[in-house]
Amino acid sequence: MTGGEVAGILVAVFWAILVSFLAVVLVRLAQTLKATTKLVADVTEQAVPLLADASATVRSAQTQLDRVDAIASDVQEVTSNASALSTTVASTFGGPLVKVAAFGYGVRRAMGRGRQDAPPAPPASDPRTVIVGRIVPSARRRKQKG
């Protein structure tokens, strides 16, 4: 065999190995593409019902939010009505009730003074305690024998 024939055989073997390697790579690529196609089909099959459920959930949440909005506006209206009512009651009955309370206090004081003769008020420097209109000495001193 000549050098050219040996080189030709080497090139032929190299090409055979290369073609075999490429065939294996193409077979594995085809398997990967099949698996990917099946996976995409399964995801699509499961995603459609999930999207439908999500859409229904969003619609339900929107309905609930509309109800909450209506309730909040009703509460706001009730709050403003209660505020107006309390302002009206305070302005209508507040002044007369204060006058009645002051009158009652004055009558009680006048009735209390009529029953007892209250002693005159002690001077400010006197260390005594005042309890319900009576004066109680703060402490008793013992007389020391001496």
Side-chain angles (χ1 to χ4, degrees):
M1 274 206 212
T2 64
E5 291 175 346
V6 172
I9 291 176
L10 285 177
V11 170
V13 169
F14 174 73
W15 279 106
I17 292 173
L18 182 63
V19 168
S20 299
F21 177 72
L22 288 176
V24 169
V25 168
L26 287 176
V27 167
R28 288 191 179 170
L29 182 63
Q31 289 174 351
T32 304
L33 286 175
K34 282 181 185 179
T36 304
T37 304
K38 183 180 178 191
L39 180 65
V40 168
D42 289 344
V43 167
T44 303
E45 185 178 307
Q46 293 177 1
V48 171
L50 286 176
L51 288 175
D53 290 345
S55 176
T57 302
V58 168
R59 274 190 240 109
S60 174
Q62 181 63 37
T63 303
Q64 296 299 324
L65 284 175
D66 291 340
R67 288 180 184 169
V68 168
D69 188 36
I71 291 170
S73 66
D74 290 345
V75 167
Q76 184 178 9
E77 184 178 338
V78 167
T79 302
S80 66
N81 289 342
S83 175
L85 179 64
S86 72
T87 302
T88 303
V89 167
S91 65
T92 303
F93 296 113
L97 284 177
V98 169
K99 290 177 183 177
V100 167
F103 178 74
Y105 176 74
V107 168
R108 274 187 277 133
R109 272 194 67 113
M111 300 278 292
R113 282 191 181 168
R115 286 189 220 153
Q116 302 174 2
D117 289 329
S125 64
D126 192 10
R128 297 181 186 191
T129 306
V130 176
I131 300 175
V132 191
R134 296 188 180 165
I135 299 173
V136 178
S138 61
R140 295 185 185 209
R141 296 184 187 170
R142 285 195 231 174
K143 291 184 181 179
Q144 296 179 352
K145 295 180 183 178

